[in-house]
Amino acid sequence: GDDSLDKNIKELLALIADRCDPATGLWGSGISNSQVALSEGVQAGYHFWLLYWYDGLEIPFPEKVFDSIKKLQNKNSGGFDLIHYYSSACQDIDGLHPLIKLASDYKRLEGADLILKKSLPWVIYNYNSDGGACFRRGESFLYGHELMSSDADESTILATWFRSICFSYMCACLSDRN
């Protein structure tokens, strides 16, 4: 409710929008030429899109963003990594949260239900018997410092948080759409 920075925020969002590629809805170059660049473009984009959504604003080129995210889904696992079978909690939330937001805001987007239904078992698969979720199956994880690390398949609060957000949003979106 604090309007004191409203002008600055609008200016920042306009500058960010000016640098967005209208062909992909993402930031960066060479995105359509590389699976790695597409993945990194969506992961970076997620953090920009949040700025718009927090203020209730439409992101630049929402249909192109949706198309870019659709291309990222692993056809075998349902996660959002085209290179590895096992996608990370970051890759999944960076793909799923915007996809769900776009599917909810733009009911006209085709294919959202199929993408979410394919992803749902994948998100659940990453949970362990202790009720937590792992960051990426089969791999240890280090987030900047050894105190922020986990063994392969070990549950972590970060992964559990990200995967729980995905699960919650997916269920709500599918419930609203069906």
Side-chain angles (χ1 to χ4, degrees):
D2 184 355
D3 296 333
S4 64
L5 294 177
D6 199 40
K7 179 183 171 214
N8 301 76
I9 297 293
K10 286 183 177 163
E11 184 178 336
L12 171 71
L13 294 177
L15 288 169
I16 291 171
D18 285 345
R19 288 163 175 78
C20 186
D21 181 354
T24 63
L26 305 174
W27 291 266
S29 60
I31 294 212
S32 55
N33 301 333
S34 160
Q35 294 175 341
V36 171
L38 177 62
S39 179
E40 290 173 350
V42 168
Q43 290 176 62
Y46 177 65
H47 297 86
F48 291 123
W49 301 322
L50 289 173
L51 298 172
Y52 289 87
W53 292 330
Y54 284 143
D55 281 350
L57 302 172
E58 183 173 313
I59 64 172
F61 315 108
E63 287 86 0
K64 295 296 183 180
V65 169
F66 185 81
D67 291 341
S68 292
I69 294 171
K70 278 193 332 189
K71 290 177 189 172
L72 250 190
Q73 187 174 41
N74 184 305
K75 301 302 179 219
N76 296 312
S77 69
F80 288 83
D81 186 337
L82 295 173
I83 295 169
H84 304 97
Y85 184 82
Y86 297 115
S87 53
S88 73
C90 287
Q91 290 168 313
D92 290 341
I93 195 168
D94 292 351
L96 279 167
H97 186 196
L99 186 94
I100 292 163
K101 178 80 171 133
L102 292 169
S104 298
D105 290 353
Y106 304 92
K107 304 246 186 246
R108 67 188 181 275
L109 294 175
E110 295 294 321
D113 292 355
L114 293 175
I115 295 168
L116 295 179
K117 287 175 182 175
K118 175 126 184 124
S119 295
L120 190 56
W122 176 251
V123 171
I124 294 169
Y125 173 74
N126 285 281
Y127 279 87
N128 294 320
S129 60
D130 63 7
C134 65
F135 186 74
R136 184 193 308 259
R137 284 272 173 224
E139 290 184 22
S140 60
F141 178 63
L142 174 66
Y143 189 73
H145 189 277
E146 65 184 50
L147 291 176
M148 294 286 290
S149 66
S150 60
D151 293 331
D153 299 324
E154 184 178 13
S155 296
T156 68
I157 191 66
L158 176 73
T160 303
W161 175 244
F162 285 179
R163 295 196 185 280
S164 295
I165 290 171
C166 288
F167 182 74
S168 174
Y169 286 158
M170 289 169 76
C171 290
C173 183
L174 287 169
S175 173
D176 286 348
R177 292 173 62 83
N178 295 315

